[in-house]
Amino acid sequence: MSNRIDRANAKLQKALQEIVAFEMNDPRIDAFVGVNDVKVAPDFRYAKVKIALTDGDYSRAPEVMKVLKRSEGFIKAKLAEKLDLPHMPKLDFAFDKNMQNAIRVEEILKGLDIPPQEDTENDSDPEND
């Protein structure tokens, strides 16, 4: 990907995070809603925005996504104030399940009963060869 697109992705992500965290007055959107990734199209007409819930409460994910999609006009207006882009992209919000999957894997690993590894110094004993 070009440096121009990479810079735009980074700027969009930072601006979106600020808007979501500090400028939206909806109580369903709080500090635990994060913007994990942004991928803008080369023509700047579309941007895929991955959202994660950092508090681990994934039961409210559908409601958060609904609020963000309904607030697209407000978010785009705030983006236009912050950024100078050739076109203000249409925002496609998507829930990022990577964080949820990582938490689930961690829970599974914690639940495993793995005995501690034995000391391997005795493995070099010539009698065992």
Side-chain angles (χ1 to χ4, degrees):
M1 209 175 291
S2 74
N3 287 338
R4 181 176 182 225
I5 298 295
D6 290 340
R7 282 192 313 270
N9 287 337
K11 286 181 180 181
L12 271 168
Q13 182 175 354
K14 183 180 178 191
L16 284 167
Q17 183 61 49
E18 288 173 4
I19 292 166
V20 168
F22 303 115
E23 298 183 32
M24 292 188 70
N25 292 327
D26 194 304
R28 296 169 289 187
I29 304 294
D30 55 24
F32 298 113
V33 177
V35 178
N36 272 12
D37 191 30
V38 175
K39 299 281 188 221
V40 68
D43 64 358
F44 290 91
R45 301 250 183 223
Y46 298 95
K48 184 161 189 129
V49 181
K50 289 191 177 181
I51 301 295
L53 300 177
T54 58
D55 64 351
D57 183 9
Y58 295 102
S59 63
R60 62 191 193 100
E63 185 175 9
V64 168
M65 296 306 295
K66 189 165 120 180
V67 170
L68 289 172
K69 287 176 183 176
R70 285 186 177 171
S71 302
E72 182 183 2
F74 170 80
I75 295 169
K76 284 175 68 171
K78 291 294 183 180
L79 279 175
E81 292 174 9
K82 294 177 180 284
L83 302 175
D84 183 28
L85 297 174
H87 300 282
M88 195 49 56
K90 176 173 180 11
L91 303 174
D92 179 23
F93 293 102
F95 182 63
D96 188 3
K97 295 183 181 180
N98 289 339
M99 178 91 64
Q100 181 180 11
N101 292 341
I103 291 171
R104 178 72 180 128
V105 167
E106 186 176 323
E107 288 172 357
I108 291 169
L109 290 175
K110 283 181 182 177
L112 294 177
D113 185 26
I114 301 173
Q117 190 174 8
E118 293 182 18
D119 192 12
T120 58
E121 290 180 23
N122 294 335
D123 290 344
S124 62
D125 188 4
E127 292 179 5
N128 292 338
D129 288 343

